């Protein structure tokens, strides 16, 4: 299974660094850096991709358990090195689920399954980089 795409510079003139990506699926996205930023940088997109990948797994698992989720968010924090290439040195994701009667243990299990079995973005990142997960259930 492969994924194909093309990345094109959109800011040919000036100092901006905006690129558009189009994938074989037909989906498009923009990556941005520099003056006049209008989209996520590639590094921000990577952090968001990790959170979204785990989030999709977590919600799918909770739905299979027929749990009533009314809201869900993932708070993302990525600590970067000071020196180039300024890679992520650690990431923390806090999964916050709001719903009715959701056991904390169900959320914990869903997060751990995503991290250990399902999330391809998680498995693509350097295994030496610490990724810490937290979870909170809010009744309501």
């Amino acid at each position: 299974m492969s994924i194909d795409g093309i990345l094109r510079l959109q800011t040919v003139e000036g100092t901006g660094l905006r690129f558009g990506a189009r994938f074989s699926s037909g989906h498009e996205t923009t990556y941005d850096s520099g003056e006049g930023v209008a989209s996520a940088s590639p590094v921000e997109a990577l952090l968001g991709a990790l959170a979204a990948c785990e989030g999709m797994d977590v919600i799918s698992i909770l739905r299979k358990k027929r749990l009533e989720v009314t809201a869900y968010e993932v708070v993302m924090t990525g600590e970067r090195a000071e020196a180039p290439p300024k890679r992520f040195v650690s990431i923390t994701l806090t999964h916050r689920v709001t719903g009715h009667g959701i056991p904390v243990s169900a959320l914990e299990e869903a997060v751990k399954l995503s991290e250990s079995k399902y999330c391809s973005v998680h498995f693509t990142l350097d295994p030496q980089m610490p990724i810490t997960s937290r979870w909170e259930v809010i009744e309501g």
Side-chain angles (χ1 to χ4, degrees), residues 76-90:
M76 310 170 278
T77 303
E79 296 297 328
R80 295 179 66 191
E82 294 292 325
K86 297 184 182 179
R87 68 179 189 84
F88 283 119
V89 294
S90 69

Side-chain angles (χ1 to χ4, degrees), residues 115-130:
E115 293 175 336
S116 66
K117 188 173 184 179
Y118 296 118
C119 180
S120 53
V121 176
H122 187 101
F123 282 96
T124 300
L125 296 171
D126 183 347
Q128 300 301 313
M129 182 192 58

Side-chain angles (χ1 to χ4, degrees), residues 17 78 104:
L17 297 171
V104 173

Side-chain angles (χ1 to χ4, degrees), residues 38-97:
S39 300
S41 73
V43 176
E44 290 169 329
L46 178 63
L47 184 61
L50 174 63
C53 184
E54 286 194 17
M56 289 178 185
D57 292 339
V58 168
I59 286 300
S60 294
I61 293 165
L62 295 179
R63 285 179 176 168
K64 286 178 184 170
K65 293 177 178 277
R66 300 192 192 308
L67 295 170
E68 188 180 346
V69 175
T70 58
Y72 177 53
E73 65 184 15
V74 181
V75 178
M76 310 170 278
T77 303
E79 296 297 328
R80 295 179 66 191
E82 294 292 325
K86 297 184 182 179
R87 68 179 189 84
F88 283 119
V89 294
S90 69
I91 293 174
T92 301
L93 300 178
T94 302
H95 299 260
R96 288 188 185 142
V97 172

